[in-house]
Amino acid sequence: MSLFAIGLIGLVICFLLIFLRMPIYIAFCLVGLVGIAVVRGWNPALVTLGTVPYTTASMYVWSVVPLFVFMGFLALHSGLAQEFFAGIRKWIGHFPGGLALSVIVGNAGFGACSGDPVSSAVTFSAMCLPEMRKYGYSDKLTLGAVGAGSILSGLIPPSLLFIVFGAITETSIGQLFIGGIFPGFILALLYIATISIMCWRDPAIGPPCPKSTWKERWMAGTGMWALIGVFAVIIGGIFIGLFTPTEAGAAGAFIVLVLALLRKRLSWDDFKNVLKETGITTGMVGMLLIGTMVLNVFLVITRIPATIASFIGGVTDSTSGTLWVIVAVLFVLGCFIDSLALTLIMVPILFPITSQMGVHPVHFGIVFTIASVAGALTPPFGIVVYAISGVAKDVPLFDIFKGVMPFLACIVGLLALVIYFPSLSLYLPQLMI
Amino acid sequence: MSENEGTGLRSNHDSPLEQLITRLLLRVLLVGMGFVVIMMLVTVVHAVGRYGFSEPIPGLVEMSSFMLVIIIFSSAAYTEMNGSHIVIGVLVDKFPQRVQAGLDCFMYILSLGLVVVTVWQTIKRGLFVEQIEYMSAVLHIPHYPFIYIAAFCWTLLGVAILIRLIHFVGRASGRITQ
C-alpha cells in the first residue's frame, strides 16, 4: 500500500472517530500514533508520543495563548464589555437600528480583548436582548447582529485563530494581527450597512432610541475608553515594534487587571472564576495543539499535504481559484467542525498548497480565518448560534439562523474583497517596523 | 468553543470520591493558572526593564516555556472532567441515549489506553533526559522535572477519563439516567 493511501485511510479514520464523539485531541494523538507505527514501526511511534507533547507544550510561541485568554476573561468578568456597549449606545443608539449597530461596534471593541466568538456571543446576547426588546427591536435582528458581531472577535486582533495559524505555519503572529485590522473593520462596516438597509426597508425592526446629550456621550462608561486604550496598547505596540505579541498579551492583561482592581470591579471569587475559565480554555486549546502536532508527524511522513497540493494544483492554477476552492471546502467542513479544530486539522494540509503557489502566508491566514469562522454561523453546527440559543431560550433556533443569514452574505463579500485585493490584508503588515 | 461545554459530570450522582477528585483537579488547575499571572508579571517587568532601564530579564523565553508546560498540562484534567474538550456530537447526538453512552464507553476506553501509553512514554523520556542532564541553554534549568510534571498531569488526565468512563458505563447499562 502506498504511503498516500495509508495517510488517507488515517485521515478518514480520524474523521470517523471525531464524528463518533471522541475528543478531538485524543483522535489526533491516536491516529497519529497508530499511523506512525504502521509506517515506521512501534518504537518511533512511541518515542513520538513521549517527546512531541512536551516539546509542543514548551514552545514559547504558545505563551501568547493563555495571556490573551486571561485578558479576555478579565475584561468579561470585570464588566468592560458591558460598559463598552453602554458607552457606544449613547453615541449611536439614536440612529435607526442604533442598538443593533452598537452591538456590532461593541463586539468589534470587545474583540480587541477577547479572541473567542462564543464568549462574545453569550455576553452580548444576555446583555442586549432584554434591552433591545424593551425598545421594540425584532429578536431576529438583535440575535442576528449578536451572532454576526461575535465573529468580529475572531478577526479583530488578538484573535485566537491567528495565534494558532501563526504558530503552526511559523508565520509572524504580529503580522497576522495587524493584517486582520482592515478586514475586521471592513466586515464591521459591511454589517453596519446591512443593518442600516434592513432598518430603512422596515423601520419597525429597529426603532431609534432617545438621543443622549453630548455630556452624556463623553461621560459614557470609562470602560469604553479603557477598552479603546487596551486596543491601542496591544495593536499600537505590535505595529511600531515595541512589543512582541506575547508582551502585548501580557501588557494588555496587566492593564485590564489593574483597571479592574482600581475600579473595584473584580472580587476574589471573580478572579478565581477568571483563572478557572482561562484554565479550561487553555487546557482545551493546549491539548488540541498537542494532538495536532502528533498527527502532523504522521501526515508529513505519508506526504498527504504535498499530494493534495499537487491534486488541487491540477484542478486550477489560478491563485484566486485555489483560494475559492479552499474557501468552499472550509465552508462545508465549517458546518460541522468548530473553527479552532478546523484550523488545526486543515492548516497543515492546505498551507503547503498556497505556499507553493506563492500566496503570502499572512494573506492566506486571513482568508483561512474568515472562511473558518463563518462556519460558526451556519447550520447545522453553527456553534455561535447554539451559544446564543442557550441564552435566548424563548427564540426558536431556526429564527436565529435566519437572523444571521444576511450577515453571512457580508462575510462572503468580505472574502471576495480579501481574495481579489490581497493588499487589504498585506498593506498594514508591510508598514510594520 | 466546545460543543459539549457544560455537560461535565457534576451531578447528584457524584460520589464523595469523585467530588474530592474534582476539587483536587480544580486546585491543580488553579495552581497552574497562577503561572499565567506570574508569566504576565515577568513579561511586563521584562518589557519595562528593556525599554526603561535597558535591563531585560535574562532567559525570559526559557522561563516562559517552562511555565507554559505547567499551564497547559495542569489544566487538561479538569477540562476533561468539566467536559470542555472539543467533541463533535452532530451525529451521535441523534442516537438513543444508551447507544450514545455505549459509543462513549468505547471511545473512552481507547482514550484511556492512549493516555496510559503516553504516561509510560513520558516517564521514559524523563528518565532519559535526566540521565543525559539535558538543560536549557541560558538559565541551565534541567528539563526532566518538567517532563515528570507533564507525566503527572497526564496521569491526572487518565483519572479524569476513567471517571467519565465509569459514568458512561453506568449510562450504557441504564444505572445512571442522566
Side-chain angles (χ1 to χ4, degrees):
Chain A
M1 195 184 292
S2 71
L3 282 179
F4 178 71
I6 295 172
L8 211 56
I9 290 170
L11 268 186
V12 170
I13 291 173
C14 189
F15 274 102
L16 192 69
L17 290 173
I18 288 171
F19 279 100
L20 288 176
R21 216 159 66 177
M22 176 178 267
I24 294 180
Y25 72 101
I26 295 279
F28 283 2
C29 284
L30 196 62
V31 171
L33 172 76
V34 176
I36 298 166
V38 169
V39 178
R40 293 272 162 91
W42 276 104
N43 202 33
L46 291 172
V47 170
T48 303
L49 201 61
T51 51
V52 171
Y54 176 79
T55 317
T56 305
S58 61
M59 282 166 70
Y60 177 67
V61 68
W62 299 123
S63 58
V64 70
V65 173
L67 291 171
F68 276 120
V69 171
F70 182 50
M71 181 177 77
F73 282 118
L74 275 174
L76 192 66
H77 283 273
S78 60
L80 276 182
Q82 288 88 331
E83 282 190 55
F84 190 82
F85 174 69
I88 292 295
R89 217 200 85 178
K90 288 201 167 64
W91 282 84
I92 57 175
H94 57 284
F95 293 114
L99 287 184
L101 300 178
S102 306
V103 168
I104 299 298
V105 181
N107 264 297
F110 187 57
C113 277
S114 162
D116 175 23
V118 173
S119 305
S120 301
V122 171
T123 308
F124 276 83
S125 311
M127 186 167 64
C128 303
L129 189 60
E131 190 176 359
M132 289 169 79
R133 275 180 177 166
K134 196 171 83 186
Y135 284 105
Y137 274 65
S138 90
D139 286 350
K140 238 190 276 181
L141 175 65
T142 302
L143 298 177
V146 167
S150 71
I151 294 299
L152 290 168
S153 303
L155 287 182
I156 290 185
S159 153
L160 188 60
L161 295 178
F162 283 155
I163 297 170
V164 172
F165 181 93
I168 294 176
T169 61
E170 295 180 3
T171 305
S172 158
I173 293 171
Q175 285 196 354
L176 285 164
F177 278 179
I178 301 298
I181 293 177
F182 272 165
F185 281 108
I186 290 171
L187 186 60
L189 288 177
L190 288 173
Y191 285 164
I192 287 170
T194 305
I195 291 170
S196 302
I197 292 169
M198 286 166 73
C199 292
W200 172 66
R201 288 180 58 188
D202 183 3
I205 61 169
C209 294
K211 202 170 183 174
S212 302
T213 64
W214 280 104
K215 190 181 171 195
E216 282 173 332
R217 290 181 201 179
W218 286 111
M219 298 299 286
T222 43
M224 184 177 92
W225 304 109
L227 265 189
I228 291 170
V230 170
F231 183 75
V233 168
I234 294 173
I235 298 309
I238 293 174
F239 188 74
I240 62 172
L242 199 63
F243 296 140
T244 63
T246 302
E247 288 168 353
F254 184 73
I255 294 169
V256 175
L257 179 62
V258 169
L259 277 174
L261 292 176
L262 286 179
R263 297 164 66 226
K264 298 191 173 134
R265 291 294 175 90
L266 195 69
S267 66
W268 177 241
D269 282 343
D270 287 336
F271 186 66
K272 276 203 290 192
N273 274 332
V274 168
L275 289 181
K276 191 171 99 175
E277 289 178 40
T278 303
I280 288 173
T281 305
T282 307
M284 183 264 288
V285 175
M287 295 312 283
L288 264 177
L289 297 174
I290 287 169
T292 307
M293 292 304 175
V294 174
L295 183 68
N296 271 351
V297 176
F298 168 60
L299 293 181
V300 170
I301 292 174
T302 53
R303 295 184 45 78
I304 284 279
T307 313
I308 293 181
S310 62
F311 171 74
I312 290 189
V315 174
T316 171
D317 52 2
S318 107
T319 306
S320 52
T322 305
L323 288 176
W324 277 118
V325 170
I326 289 172
V327 165
V329 170
L330 292 175
F331 260 59
V332 173
L333 289 176
C335 293
F336 305 98
I337 303 177
D338 171 85
S339 56
L340 180 65
L342 194 59
T343 305
L344 289 164
I345 298 170
M346 297 308 289
V347 166
I349 296 173
L350 298 175
F351 184 69
I353 301 171
T354 54
S355 295
Q356 218 171 44
M357 300 190 82
V359 179
H360 195 289
V362 172
H363 182 208
F364 177 60
I366 287 163
V367 171
F368 186 97
T369 303
I370 299 169
S372 58
V373 289
L377 295 180
T378 50
F381 186 45
I383 189 162
V384 159
V385 175
Y386 280 97
I388 294 172
S389 171
V391 179
K393 290 190 168 58
D394 54 340
V395 182
L397 189 67
F398 185 65
D399 278 3
I400 308 175
F401 273 120
K402 265 170 67 180
V404 298
M405 281 305 149
F407 300 101
L408 262 178
C410 297
I411 297 177
V412 176
L414 175 72
L415 273 167
L417 285 172
V418 175
I419 287 175
Y420 290 113
F421 302 101
S423 54
L424 283 176
S425 46
L426 296 178
Y427 177 69
L428 285 180
Q430 282 161 358
L431 294 181
M432 280 173 75
I433 298 166
Chain B
M1 211 164 262
S2 156
E3 196 191 0
N4 65 338
E5 201 159 339
T7 58
L9 298 175
R10 233 77 57 243
S11 75
N12 294 332
H13 303 292
D14 284 359
S15 68
L17 180 67
E18 283 172 39
Q19 289 173 14
L20 183 74
I21 290 171
T22 305
R23 279 204 299 273
L24 168 77
L25 297 183
L26 180 59
R27 291 276 156 82
V28 172
L29 175 139
L30 290 175
V31 169
M33 291 311 108
F35 283 92
V36 176
V37 181
I38 296 172
M39 190 198 281
M40 174 193 76
L41 293 173
V42 172
T43 309
V44 168
V45 170
H46 171 80
V48 172
R50 188 176 62 205
Y51 289 111
F53 309 98
S54 298
E55 276 194 30
I57 296 175
L60 174 85
V61 171
E62 285 179 3
M63 263 191 271
S64 299
S65 300
F66 286 123
M67 282 192 264
L68 199 56
V69 171
I70 299 173
I71 291 165
I72 289 180
F73 283 112
S74 66
S75 50
Y78 184 78
T79 307
E80 179 59 54
M81 201 71 172
N82 197 47
S84 292
H85 284 295
I86 298 180
V87 296
I88 308 291
V90 67
L91 180 68
V92 177
D93 288 351
K94 308 273 186 296
F95 297 165
Q97 285 292 326
R98 287 182 70 170
V99 177
Q100 287 186 35
L103 268 171
D104 286 334
C105 282
F106 178 64
M107 293 302 159
Y108 271 72
I109 288 169
L110 290 178
S111 304
L112 190 60
L114 179 86
V115 170
V116 169
V117 174
T118 310
V119 171
W120 164 45
Q121 286 303 312
T122 309
I123 292 173
K124 251 181 96 172
R125 177 75 186 161
L127 289 169
F128 173 71
V129 167
E130 184 179 0
Q131 199 183 9
I132 61 169
E133 297 179 355
Y134 180 46
M135 294 181 186
S136 67
V138 177
L139 300 174
H140 303 292
I141 300 171
H143 278 269
Y144 74 86
F146 295 92
I147 300 179
Y148 289 142
I149 289 173
F152 173 69
C153 293
W154 276 112
T155 310
L156 293 181
L157 178 60
V159 172
I161 287 174
L162 181 63
I163 290 174
R164 295 202 77 185
L165 176 60
I166 292 168
H167 268 263
F168 292 135
V169 171
R171 282 184 199 170
S173 63
R175 278 187 294 112
I176 299 175
T177 51
Q178 178 184 331

